Amino acid sequence: MNGLLARNEEFAASYIAMPIAPPRAGMIIVTCMEHRVDPAIFLRLEVGDAAVIRNTGGRITEAVIDDVAYFAQIGEQFFSGDGPDDKLFEVAVIHHTQCGSGFLADAGFRQRFAGTTGRHETELAAVAVTDPQATVHADVERLLTSPKLSPKVSVSGHVYDIATGRLATAIDARYP
C-alpha cells in the first residue's frame, strides 16, 4: 500500500477540489470491477468527467438501478435544465470480453461460491458474462424497462475487447 500512498501524494500535490455538479461528459458508466477494465484508462477520463459504478460483470442489478435513480433525483432537483432539452445524463453499460464473471457459468465453481456467500446458485448464474454482446443487450433492456428510470436518462450498451483495448457500441443511446 505504501507505493499507492506515494502515488496519492503526487496526485494530491496538484489536486483542485471541484464543487458537486453533473459529470462533464454527461455520463454514468456501469462496468465490471475487474482490474483489466478501468474506464478511467480506456476512455481517458479525468476527475469530474463521469460517474462510474463497478460490480461483478458490470451487470445491471437492483442496486445499480437504485444508484441511477438516486443520481437522476439529484440531477432533477439541483441541476434540472442544465443539459440540452432538459435531459439529465446517459448511462453507458459496458461489458467486456474474457470476463472473470464467466466462471459463474461453471456449475462446480458456482456451487462452491454459493456455499461461501450464501447466495442462490440461480442468482449467481444470472451474473455470468460469457457472451458480452448478449448480456449487454439484456442489461440495457433491464434498465430501460425499470419503472425507477427517469425518462430524462438515456441508456447505451458497449463491449470492451480485452485483446485490443477497443470499445464498440452494441446499442446506441435511447430513452425509456
Side-chain angles (χ1 to χ4, degrees):
M1 187 65 184
N2 287 338
L4 296 179
L5 291 174
R7 289 183 194 181
N8 175 253
E9 283 301 317
E10 291 173 18
F11 167 79
S14 62
Y15 175 72
I16 299 171
M18 300 171 52
I20 189 166
R24 284 190 298 265
M27 188 76 53
I28 291 180
I29 297 166
V30 179
T31 195
C32 188
M33 66 182 184
E34 199 172 319
H35 63 283
R36 300 178 297 163
V37 181
D38 189 340
I41 294 172
F42 71 77
L43 294 175
R44 303 216 186 266
L45 298 174
E46 295 183 19
V47 173
D49 284 346
V52 179
I53 299 170
R54 296 177 73 169
N55 65 19
T56 303
R59 301 307 305 267
I60 299 299
T61 63
E62 279 303 310
V64 169
I65 292 170
D66 288 346
D67 286 347
V68 170
Y70 177 75
F71 204 82
Q73 183 68 38
I74 289 172
E76 287 178 3
Q77 186 163 345
F78 298 108
F79 308 112
S80 186
D82 287 356
D85 302 324
D86 201 30
K87 301 301 182 192
L88 291 172
F89 52 84
E90 178 180 332
V91 178
V93 179
I94 302 174
H95 292 187
H96 68 94
T97 60
Q98 304 174 23
C99 187
S101 71
F103 289 118
L104 292 170
D106 176 84
F109 180 88
R110 189 173 57 247
Q111 183 180 32
R112 286 187 300 279
F113 189 61
T116 301
T117 63
R119 291 177 65 187
H120 198 278
E121 284 190 57
T122 56
E123 176 190 354
L124 294 172
V127 173
V129 175
T130 56
D131 179 352
Q133 286 287 338
T135 54
V136 82
H137 275 83
D139 280 359
V140 166
E141 271 310 303
R142 180 168 191 204
L143 190 52
L144 283 170
T145 58
S146 171
K148 298 176 185 177
L149 185 67
S150 167
K152 297 179 179 183
V153 173
S154 64
V155 183
S156 62
H158 312 271
V159 175
Y160 177 68
D161 187 328
I162 291 289
T164 67
R166 287 194 167 77
L167 185 67
T169 298
I171 304 166
D172 290 326
R174 27 180 246 218
Y175 290 87

